[in-house]
Amino acid sequence: MTRKEQKEMRQKQIMLKALELFVTKGFTETKISDIAESLGISVGLLFHYYESKEALCKSLVEMGLQAAKRPEKIEFDSPLDYFTKTIEGLFSAAREQPWVFQMFVLMSQARRPGIPEDIRQLALSVDQMGFSAEIIRQGQERGEIREGDPKALAFAFWCSVQGIMEQHLITPEYPLPDVEWITAILKKPEV
């Protein structure tokens, strides 16, 4: 393994451990020494990679933002297909890399007061609700998505997904629900 590969591997280990601790203990309660200790490295070595806990959290949020923008790039046949593919992709990624559940939770936590304001604003910069509401509006025009305020429907959909992601962290032995159950929140009822 090259020196560069070793450095990248160590950086990833630090990020994943910090992600775990930020989600389980909270950003405020997690100390840089907690992260270093849990990895069996010195605080000095950790500072070689990240100058502060805030810089580490900001890196994680930036990584989460890249993932949060992926749904905007999904090619879909219909508005309901967009939501199906979004959740299928999210669940697939989370099954392959369980830290995805933690990232989903961190991105929600990063939007709340108590996080450094620059990180909070960064987390708030993606408007998944607004983007989803527009797709819902299009689906309503096509008769595919139920009637109702598109923003409220987007809110119900994403809050359901958020709850699933958080609960799966607590009870990973429970299977993830069928994607159809989640998209049923949006689907126009058959008459």
Side-chain angles (χ1 to χ4, degrees), residues 15 26 28 34 52 54-55 72-73 80 86 111-113 121 147 154 165 171 177 183 185:
M15 288 182 79
T28 305
D34 296 332
S52 65
E54 290 77 10
E72 295 176 9
K73 298 173 184 163
L80 205 53
T86 297
R111 295 168 162 256
R112 300 178 188 150
Q121 289 306 314
E147 295 301 315
M165 299 302 275
T171 53
T183 56
I185 293 169

Side-chain angles (χ1 to χ4, degrees), residues 10 13-14 36 39-50:
R10 175 65 75 186
Q13 288 172 333
I14 292 168
L39 289 167
I41 63 173
S42 70
V43 171
L45 179 58
L46 198 146
F47 281 131
H48 175 73
Y49 290 91
Y50 295 96

Side-chain angles (χ1 to χ4, degrees), residues 12 15-17 19-20 23 60 63-64 67 70 93-106 165 169:
K12 184 176 180 180
M15 288 182 79
L16 291 178
K17 183 51 73 175
L19 175 61
E20 177 187 329
V23 167
L60 285 165
M63 188 169 96
R70 277 193 203 120
R95 281 186 194 102
E96 292 172 20
Q97 301 172 23
W99 58 264
V100 170
F101 291 106
Q102 294 171 334
M103 181 59 77
F104 208 87
V105 173
L106 177 72
M165 299 302 275
L169 276 177

Side-chain angles (χ1 to χ4, degrees), residues 18-101:
L19 175 61
E20 177 187 329
L21 292 173
F22 290 156
V23 167
T24 57
K25 290 180 74 171
F27 174 80
T28 305
E29 295 299 315
T30 302
K31 297 175 183 64
I32 204 82
S33 59
D34 296 332
I35 300 166
E37 184 180 317
S38 67
L39 289 167
I41 63 173
S42 70
V43 171
L45 179 58
L46 198 146
F47 281 131
H48 175 73
Y49 290 91
Y50 295 96
E51 65 187 38
S52 65
K53 175 175 81 167
E54 290 77 10
L56 181 48
C57 186
K58 187 174 184 178
S59 289
L60 285 165
V61 169
E62 286 169 346
M63 188 169 96
L65 286 175
Q66 289 175 3
K69 291 178 182 177
R70 277 193 203 120
E72 295 176 9
K73 298 173 184 163
I74 291 175
E75 292 184 27
F76 55 93
D77 298 325
S78 69
L80 205 53
D81 184 49
Y82 163 78
F83 291 102
T84 299
K85 286 182 175 178
T86 297
I87 299 307
E88 285 173 349
L90 179 62
F91 284 1
S92 176
R95 281 186 194 102
E96 292 172 20
Q97 301 172 23
W99 58 264
V100 170
F101 291 106

